[in-house]
């Protein structure tokens, strides 16, 4: 049996790329198809009916028609536009950081339902009152776990010495903790204090 010509999926728009004068290639993260690229025809025209449902960081129910190379978006209905994230510049940048990490850490068309759930929950959490930094650190740690890189937390990922009870740093790109000697050499690190915030244990995942 051949695959149906059209299909529908929930999706979060994690990236958009301009194509030609009015079109875009969108990168969608879906619950059961993983990351897919899709052609969005005419969405940069002012009167496009689809455009509003296909904004970056929007959670939508998307209909697609199979194509030879790329599938084409033929319909879209917003489930959650995450307006609170888009109306605040700082929150937008946090959410875009989350979307970019999802894009960088995944290959096309590999289903990872727990990762979709993590993405959705993180966008929801960023839109709510609460500690945004904590939400981001929670996301980074669980992202590494869900894509198969469990972070190294017992020893320094650079010099491999056991971590001392000091303020060490978490480095997402290195995949774990860095001791105070090694962390200055890494561009993106987050100091981790010894006290474990109580709230981290209450977030389910
Ligand atoms: Zn070290």
């Amino acid at each position: 049996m051949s695959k149906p010509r059209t299909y529908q999926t929930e999706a979060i728009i994690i990236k958009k790329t301009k194509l030609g004068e009015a079109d875009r290639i969108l990168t969608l993260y879906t619950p059961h198809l993983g990351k897919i690229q899709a052609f969005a025809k005419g969405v940069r025209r002012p009167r496009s009916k689809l455009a509003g449902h296909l904004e970056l960081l929007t959670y939508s129910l998307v209909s697609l028609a199979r194509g030879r190379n790329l599938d084409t978006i033929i319909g879209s209905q917003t489930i959650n536009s995450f307006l609170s994230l888009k109306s605040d510049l700082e929150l937008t940048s946090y959410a875009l950081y989350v979307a970019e990490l999802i894009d960088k850490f995944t290959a096309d068309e590999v289903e990872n339902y727990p990762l979709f759930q993590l993405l959705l929950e993180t966008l929801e959490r960023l839109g709510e009152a609460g500690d945004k930094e904590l939400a981001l650190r929670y996301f980074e740690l669980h992202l590494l776990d869900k894509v198969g890189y469990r972070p190294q937390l017992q020893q320094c990922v650079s010099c491999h010495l056991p971590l001392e009870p000091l303020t060490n740093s978490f480095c997402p790109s290195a995949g774990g903790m860095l001791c105070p000697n090694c962390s200055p050499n890494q561009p993106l690190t987050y100091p981790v204090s010894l006290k474990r915030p109580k709230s981290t244990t209450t977030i389910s995942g």
Side-chain angles (χ1 to χ4, degrees):
M1 237 174 45
S2 62
K3 287 179 173 180
R5 285 189 53 229
T6 64
Y7 63 99
Q8 217 174 32
T9 176
E10 292 178 22
I12 295 170
I13 292 70
I14 59 170
K15 189 177 164 188
K16 53 184 188 180
T17 311
K18 286 180 187 171
L19 185 74
E21 289 199 352
D23 310 331
R24 280 191 199 286
I25 304 281
L26 298 180
T27 305
L28 314 177
Y29 204 78
T30 72
H32 299 294
L33 304 166
K35 182 170 74 175
I36 55 175
Q37 316 290 334
F39 178 57
K41 191 170 174 50
V43 285
R44 283 159 56 213
R45 293 193 205 285
R47 289 202 200 158
S48 165
K49 288 198 180 105
L50 273 181
H53 301 284
L54 295 172
E55 278 301 315
L56 208 50
L57 304 173
T58 298
Y59 176 30
S60 288
L61 183 63
V62 180
S63 305
L64 299 108
R66 290 185 202 283
R68 238 185 319 168
N69 299 315
L70 276 180
D71 295 350
T72 299
I73 296 174
I74 52 174
S76 184
Q77 208 55 53
T78 300
I79 299 168
N80 187 345
S81 61
F82 292 112
L83 267 185
S84 60
L85 293 182
K86 293 169 190 169
S87 54
D88 180 308
L89 206 59
E90 194 179 19
L91 287 182
T92 305
S93 70
Y94 288 163
L96 289 176
Y97 167 76
V98 166
E100 193 182 338
L101 280 190
I102 292 276
D103 185 37
K104 292 272 153 57
F105 275 88
T106 53
D108 280 357
E109 292 168 35
V110 180
E111 178 184 3
N112 190 334
Y113 184 70
L115 190 59
F116 175 83
Q117 280 293 113
L118 177 67
L119 170 61
L120 184 57
E121 283 168 16
T122 303
L123 294 180
E124 287 168 351
R125 208 168 281 152
L126 286 173
E128 293 163 0
D131 188 336
K132 316 298 180 199
E133 292 290 333
L134 184 62
L136 290 181
R137 297 301 84 80
Y138 179 89
F139 167 75
E140 287 159 350
L141 275 171
H142 286 78
L143 168 73
L144 293 171
D145 189 29
K146 287 176 181 21
V147 296
Y149 302 102
R150 190 177 282 275
Q152 174 60 262
L153 301 175
Q154 309 302 325
Q155 57 182 39
C156 173
V157 288
S158 179
C159 68
H160 306 293
L161 290 175
L163 291 174
E164 301 287 332
L166 303 164
T167 294
N168 298 290
S169 300
F170 177 63
C171 177
S173 60
M177 299 296 291
L178 291 166
C179 72
N181 290 333
C182 296
S183 55
N185 305 326
Q186 292 286 339
L188 250 183
T189 61
Y190 305 97
V192 178
S193 68
L194 289 174
K195 259 191 283 172
R196 180 191 300 203
K198 283 209 177 83
S199 46
T200 52
T201 54
T202 62
I203 303 173
S204 67

